[in-house]
Amino acid sequence: MKKLLILNGPNLNLLGVREPEVYGTTTFEQYFSTLKIAFPEFELTYFQSNVEGELINKLHEVGFTYDGIVMNAGAYTHTSIAIADAISGIKTPVIEVHISNVHAREEFRHKSQIAAVCTGVIAGFGLKSYELALRALL
Ligand code: DQA
């Protein structure tokens, strides 16, 4: 069974209550339980942190044994060379996802520091962006 990690960065613990007009009203825990049912062929795990170093530690921890990582790095997407370096340093492919269409928002969200070291990028489909990324790893 393929082992996959969904890795969420800062403020994504507030999904469901945070800016619902942008990010929706479903909590990630609710959505994650539907994903586990939709993808019985995967061993799915989920980790969220608001701390950049904890995200990097998690990438190092799973990045030589897991089959794929679906990562929403939140605002660190736009700033973190350290996360980009961590993705470059591991073996497991990483797919960058965003709930919102970052290109239709403020200019500072148009630049991703991690996109170039990810296998691909999916943005703008709401929580479905995660499902599309998992399909890409099937
Ligand atoms: C986000 C987009 C980022 O610009 C923002 O900082 C987030 C969420 C998204 O999923 O749409 O925290 O990654």
Side-chain angles (χ1 to χ4, degrees), residues 10 12 18 23 72 74-75 77-78 97-100 102 105 109:
L12 292 163
R18 168 197 187 198
Y23 300 112
N72 185 345
T77 304
H78 316 298
V97 301
H98 300 285
I99 297 163
S100 64
V102 282
R105 301 181 63 193
R109 295 187 205 275

Side-chain angles (χ1 to χ4, degrees), residues 10-131:
N11 302 305
L12 292 163
N13 55 312
L14 294 182
L15 279 177
V17 287
R18 168 197 187 198
E19 300 178 78
E21 64 291 352
V22 180
Y23 300 112
T25 53
T26 308
T27 68
F28 200 81
E29 286 70 17
Q30 284 165 344
Y31 180 64
F32 186 63
S33 51
T34 67
L35 280 180
K36 283 200 289 196
I37 294 164
F39 292 94
E41 55 276 82
F42 290 148
E43 191 183 317
L44 278 182
T45 50
Y46 166 57
F47 181 78
Q48 187 276 333
S49 178
N50 295 317
V51 181
E52 188 176 19
E54 286 183 2
L55 296 167
I56 292 168
N57 285 343
K58 198 54 153 181
L59 288 165
H60 294 176
E61 184 189 317
V62 308
F64 296 89
T65 50
Y66 276 45
D67 300 293
I69 300 169
V70 172
M71 182 169 198
N72 185 345
Y76 287 142
T77 304
H78 316 298
T79 61
S80 181
I81 309 291
I83 290 176
D85 282 351
I87 295 170
S88 296
I90 61 174
K91 292 240 180 314
T92 303
V94 178
I95 299 185
E96 174 183 341
V97 301
H98 300 285
I99 297 163
S100 64
N101 178 356
V102 282
H103 299 285
R105 301 181 63 193
E106 303 94 323
E107 207 173 327
F108 63 83
R109 295 187 205 275
H110 298 181
K111 173 74 189 163
S112 169
Q113 299 292 351
I114 66 172
V117 292
C118 287
T119 307
V121 181
I122 298 171
F125 296 95
L127 286 174
K128 210 172 176 198
S129 295
Y130 292 90
E131 184 187 323

